[in-house]
């Protein structure tokens, strides 16, 4: 329930964006922050929240995060201004970042052997269902409660789910045993602040591109780079005294580095598609929220179906499976661009259904297989940290992709005099570029793995060197 509701809020909001814009008089930048802010703040707390849950009890963190998520959802639904809603979405993302690591950790704690595999399989199915149901559920809620206030109920619907989950968590989840209590230094609060500030400064000029005239805003980009360099320097120092937010030694493994970059680029590409697509369908073509939700469902259904099958194929085909899947995603999205160009008007929803299904089938064979391959060479002692870093990169990639794609979409819309189809095609081209970047990374990793297979001693020595460094620390 908790995993479903936190991930549902990634996809359910997209179909409500036009209603939010009209209801609150929100600017293009505020609309982008409603989506990107949730993804960014969600990612920042994944690693430290997982560490606190391990140390102070996962049930406590699970229930705390769920209660905060309910409060933030209520604040979102009660928002009276764009700034209020954006701030509440940031809070909602932080709460989701507290809950999510406890879900995976509790599955590992409560299940063993084949049962654990089935439990993680169920959780993967929940992820797929939440992605598929989100747009349709959001459209249905807005249709039921009306365009003026219906968007508020997509947040209020979280409250009963959170309440039931809290009661069940108190009764069913194991309480804390003998656990250590980490000090603030062990949680690396400065690392969290530096990473959040660096990424936030990088996104600001993209999101506010139309709202802030002139070129001065781009000075924030080198400032962001300086903050991120400071973050890297701090993490290298902090690892000598305590557990850092991101253990940079992980990136000595080429497979982990390339897999992380692949996820960053892929999430920047595929999560930004629905942000601009629902705006195009509703504001540009006059689709209802429900019809817009149904139009994007083929991608989610294809992704959910392929994610179940791809987990059984990754052991056989390895990185080649991910390469082929990314080719299918890029081809499917390119066909969407062609469909929009040749089928203007309200018939575009039917025209893009096949290409979106194709892209979804490819997308479902990217995420889980890549995570399996990326973490395979990581020493067990660093498995939790490595998975947390990987998920953090996914959320930052989502925020960056939404910022970049939205910037192109609204700039093109302004330049062409409300040519929604042209704006959508150009912004979708940005998404395709991110997917192609992920494909290049996947090809580089495939080549590296084949070279290592020809010289296995080198691969073992690299992993052995990392293992030794971990033991020494």
């Amino acid at each position: 329930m908790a995993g479903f509701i936190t991930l549902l809020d990634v996809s359910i909001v997209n179909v409500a964006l036009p209603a939010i814009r009209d209801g609150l008089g929100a600017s293009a930048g505020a609309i982008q922050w409603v989506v990107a802010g949730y993804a960014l703040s969600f990612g920042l707390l994944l690693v430290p929240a997982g560490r606190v849950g391990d140390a102070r009890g996962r049930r406590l963190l699970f229930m705390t995060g769920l209660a905060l998520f309910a409060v933030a959802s209520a604040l979102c639904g009660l928002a009276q201004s764009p700034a209020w809603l954006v701030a509440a979405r940031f809070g909602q993302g932080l709460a989701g970042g507290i809950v999510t690591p406890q879900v995976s950790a509790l599955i590992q704690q409560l299940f063993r052997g084949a049962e654990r595999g089935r439990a993680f399989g169920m959780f993967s199915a929940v992820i797929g269902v939440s992605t598929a149901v989100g747009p349709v559920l959001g459209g249905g809620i807005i249709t039921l409660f009306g365009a003026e206030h219906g968007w508020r109920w997509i947040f209020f619907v979280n409250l009963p789910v959170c309440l039931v989950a809290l009661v069940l968590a108190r009764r069913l989840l194991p309480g804390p045993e003998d656990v250590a209590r980490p000090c603030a230094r062990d949680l690396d609060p400065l690392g969290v602040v530096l990473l959040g500030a660096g990424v936030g400064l990088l996104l600001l000029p993209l999101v506010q591109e139309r709202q802030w005239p002139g070129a001065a805003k781009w000075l924030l980009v080198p400032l962001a780079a300086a903050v991120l360099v400071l973050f890297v320097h701090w993490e290298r120092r902090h690892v000598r005294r305590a557990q850092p937010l991101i253990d940079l030694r992980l990136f000595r493994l080429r497979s982990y580095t390339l897999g992380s970059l692949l996820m960053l680029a892929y999430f920047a590409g595929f999560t930004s598609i629905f942000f601009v697509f629902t705006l195009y369908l509703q504001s540009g073509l006059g689709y209802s929220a429900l019809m817009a939700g149904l139009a994007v469902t083929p991608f989610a259904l294809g992704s959910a179906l392929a994610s179940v099958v791809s987990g059984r194929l990754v052991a056989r085909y390895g990185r080649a499976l991910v390469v082929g899947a990314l080719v299918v995603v890029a081809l499917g999205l390119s066909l969407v661009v062609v469909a929009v160009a040749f089928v203007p008007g309200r018939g575009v929803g039917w025209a893009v259904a096949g290409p979106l299904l194709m892209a979804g089938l490819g997308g479902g064979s990217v995420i889980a297989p890549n995570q399996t391959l990326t973490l395979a060479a990581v020493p067990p002692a660093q498995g939790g940290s490595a998975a947390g870093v990987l998920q953090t990169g996914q959320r930052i990639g989502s925020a960056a992709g939404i910022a970049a794609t939205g910037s192109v979409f609204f700039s093109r819309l302004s330049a062409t005099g409300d040519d929604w189809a042209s704006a959508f095609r150009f912004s979708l081209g940005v998404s395709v570029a991110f997917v192609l970047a992920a494909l290049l990374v996947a090809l580089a990793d495939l080549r590296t793995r084949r070279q290592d297979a020809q010289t296995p001693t080198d691969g073992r020595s690299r992993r052995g060197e990392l293992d030794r460094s971990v033991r020494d620390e």
Side-chain angles (χ1 to χ4, degrees):
M1 293 176 70
F4 177 85
I5 205 68
T6 53
L7 292 170
L8 181 72
D9 267 52
V10 177
S11 60
I12 196 174
V13 171
N14 285 312
V15 294
L17 294 177
I20 291 172
R21 184 190 59 192
D22 296 338
L24 295 179
S27 65
I31 288 296
Q32 287 172 270
W33 277 119
V34 167
V35 183
Y38 181 84
L40 175 60
S41 57
F42 194 111
L44 289 177
L45 285 190
L46 286 171
V47 175
R51 194 174 302 144
V52 175
D54 291 342
R56 298 197 176 187
R58 296 180 181 114
R59 185 180 69 179
L60 173 63
L61 263 290
F62 180 90
M63 295 182 67
T64 300
L66 208 53
L68 292 174
F69 191 85
V71 171
S73 296
L75 290 174
C76 287
L78 295 170
Q80 300 299 309
S81 68
W84 178 338
L85 179 58
V86 169
R89 282 287 283 175
F90 266 95
Q92 201 182 30
L94 292 172
I98 294 173
V99 171
T100 299
Q102 317 313 323
V103 176
S104 298
L106 282 165
I107 290 175
Q108 288 182 303
Q109 175 183 340
L110 296 173
F111 298 95
R112 293 290 184 273
E115 285 188 344
R116 179 184 292 177
R118 288 195 293 273
F120 272 116
M122 282 187 166
F123 185 51
S124 297
V126 167
I127 294 173
V129 169
S130 67
T131 304
V133 166
V136 179
L137 180 60
I141 290 173
I142 292 174
T143 301
L144 179 63
F145 290 97
E148 184 177 359
H149 297 293
W151 65 268
R152 299 182 184 276
W153 288 93
I154 69 171
F155 299 111
F156 290 146
V157 75
N158 295 341
L159 302 182
V161 179
C162 289
L163 179 61
V164 172
L166 280 169
V167 173
L168 294 176
R170 184 70 180 86
R171 294 185 59 185
L172 300 177
L173 295 182
E177 299 176 354
D178 294 330
V179 293
R181 292 184 173 269
C183 63
R185 185 189 67 181
D186 295 323
L187 304 180
D188 195 11
L190 182 57
V192 174
V193 171
L194 288 174
L195 180 60
V199 176
L201 288 170
L202 188 63
L203 298 183
L204 265 175
L206 291 171
V207 175
Q208 301 296 127
E209 196 270 336
R210 292 182 63 217
Q211 284 69 38
W212 293 352
K217 57 180 174 286
W218 299 111
L219 294 176
L220 291 177
V221 174
L223 179 60
V227 174
L228 292 174
V229 168
L230 184 61
F231 167 75
V232 171
H233 178 69
W234 165 254
E235 294 297 281
R236 285 175 173 170
R237 287 189 57 191
H238 190 67
V239 73
R240 302 170 189 166
R241 297 176 295 172
Q243 186 71 16
L245 177 65
I246 294 179
D247 193 338
L248 298 175
R249 294 174 300 173
L250 288 167
F251 295 101
R252 297 177 191 173
L253 287 170
R254 284 186 297 176
S255 59
Y256 184 81
T257 300
L258 293 173
S260 299
L261 287 174
L262 190 155
M263 271 294 93
L264 183 75
Y266 178 70
F267 267 76
F270 103 93
T271 54
S272 57
I273 299 167
F274 308 107
F275 172 71
V276 293
F277 191 38
T278 53
L279 286 173
Y280 167 53
L281 291 176
Q282 293 183 67
S283 300
L285 298 179
Y287 275 43
S288 67
L290 179 59
M291 293 305 296
L294 290 170
V296 301
T297 300
F299 184 100
L301 291 177
S303 181
L305 177 62
S307 63
V308 176
V309 178
S310 63
R312 304 171 185 173
L313 300 177
V314 63
R316 180 176 179 182
Y317 296 104
R319 180 59 73 188
L321 174 65
V322 178
V323 170
L326 286 168
V327 170
V328 173
V329 174
L331 183 57
L333 295 182
S334 299
L335 290 175
V336 171
V337 176
V338 174
V340 173
F342 285 93
V343 186
R346 294 177 61 85
V348 73
W350 289 106
V352 302
L356 281 178
L357 178 62
M358 178 181 179
L361 289 170
S365 300
V366 172
I367 299 174
N370 180 73
Q371 181 159 331
T372 300
L373 295 166
T374 302
L375 298 178
V378 174
Q382 291 185 300
S385 175
V389 171
L390 197 60
Q391 291 186 12
T392 301
Q394 293 172 6
R395 303 307 164 190
I396 291 174
S398 297
I402 291 165
T405 306
S407 176
V408 171
F409 180 82
F410 289 114
S411 296
R412 184 68 182 176
L413 194 63
S414 177
T416 58
D418 290 344
D419 186 348
W420 292 88
S422 174
F424 175 63
R425 290 197 304 270
F426 272 77
S427 60
L428 192 59
V430 177
S431 298
V432 174
F434 279 123
V435 173
L436 291 176
L439 176 59
L440 291 176
V441 175
L443 288 170
D445 190 35
L446 180 62
R447 180 181 179 184
T448 297
R449 289 173 182 271
R450 287 177 175 174
Q451 289 175 345
D452 287 346
Q454 294 172 357
T455 55
T457 304
D458 293 340
R460 286 196 300 268
S461 65
R462 280 194 299 273
R463 289 191 290 272
E465 180 183 348
L466 181 58
D467 286 340
R468 287 193 297 273
S469 68
V470 172
R471 286 195 296 268
D472 291 342
E473 292 291 343

